[in-house]
Amino acid sequence: MSNVGTININHPFLKSMPPEHLEHLLVNAQEIEFQAGEIFFRKGEPANRLYLIESGRIAIKAGTPDGENLQTLGSGEVVGWSWLFPPFSWHFSAHAMEPTKCVVLDGGHLLVTAEENPKFGYELMRRISQILIGRLQATRKKC
């Protein structure tokens, strides 16, 4: 069953994505709401999700949820690509700073689908790479 018609496809990560790729991406997608303070993931836990932030704000922390705030992400941003790379565990912790709504994508499904469909895999990696470059540049500016 497809979620393309029920999931917000106006998120910047999905902008101008070909319909057949949207179909692959959103097949297991869910919209989830987090309350302020609720944990998205903790450093060291198995990484298995990609979050498209629709509204609210997320704090990315070094180490534990009480660690140093490395970055704050909000509407239109993406968090969680550790499922792409071994050892497939989170490198940081993240929690909602306020009520936050996200589209959650299954990382395992994305990996398998990317391997089975190289055109989709390329599109997915191109989009995630753009985000990684932006985050690296933002981090460099802080130094």
Side-chain angles (χ1 to χ4, degrees), residues 20-34:
E20 64 274 13
H21 294 166
L22 277 174
E23 188 75 29
H24 289 308
L25 192 79
L26 298 176
V27 70
N28 294 324
Q30 298 177 345
E31 286 188 307
I32 296 180
E33 294 186 31
F34 294 86

Side-chain angles (χ1 to χ4, degrees), residues 88-108:
F88 308 109
S89 60
W90 298 115
H91 297 278
F92 305 101
S93 296
H95 72 271
M97 298 174 73
E98 61 190 38
T100 301
K101 185 176 175 183
C102 296
V103 172
V104 182
L105 307 175
D106 181 284

Side-chain angles (χ1 to χ4, degrees), residues 40-51 79-92 105-109 111:
F40 278 65
F41 50 83
R42 287 177 170 53
K43 180 180 178 179
E45 291 180 339
N48 57 7
R49 292 180 168 190
L50 178 66
Y51 298 89
V79 66
W81 48 76
S82 294
W83 51 268
L84 271 170
F85 310 104
F88 308 109
S89 60
W90 298 115
H91 297 278
F92 305 101
L105 307 175
D106 181 284
H109 163 75
L111 274 177

Side-chain angles (χ1 to χ4, degrees), residues 13 81 84-85 122-136:
F13 185 77
W81 48 76
L84 271 170
F85 310 104
Y122 173 78
E123 183 72 22
L124 179 65
M125 289 303 294
R126 187 180 66 79
R127 290 169 187 262
I128 290 176
S129 296
Q130 289 174 332
I131 295 165
L132 287 167
I133 289 167
R135 300 274 172 80
L136 286 171

Side-chain angles (χ1 to χ4, degrees), residues 15-80:
K15 185 178 179 181
S16 69
M17 184 176 274
E20 64 274 13
H21 294 166
L22 277 174
E23 188 75 29
H24 289 308
L25 192 79
L26 298 176
V27 70
N28 294 324
Q30 298 177 345
E31 286 188 307
I32 296 180
E33 294 186 31
F34 294 86
Q35 299 305 311
E38 194 171 348
I39 302 296
F40 278 65
F41 50 83
R42 287 177 170 53
K43 180 180 178 179
E45 291 180 339
N48 57 7
R49 292 180 168 190
L50 178 66
Y51 298 89
L52 309 180
I53 306 168
E54 294 184 310
S55 63
R57 290 185 312 140
I58 297 173
I60 305 298
K61 302 281 189 162
T64 68
D66 296 331
E68 176 189 356
N69 190 13
L70 300 175
Q71 196 165 37
T72 300
L73 303 174
S75 179
E77 296 189 273
V78 176
V79 66

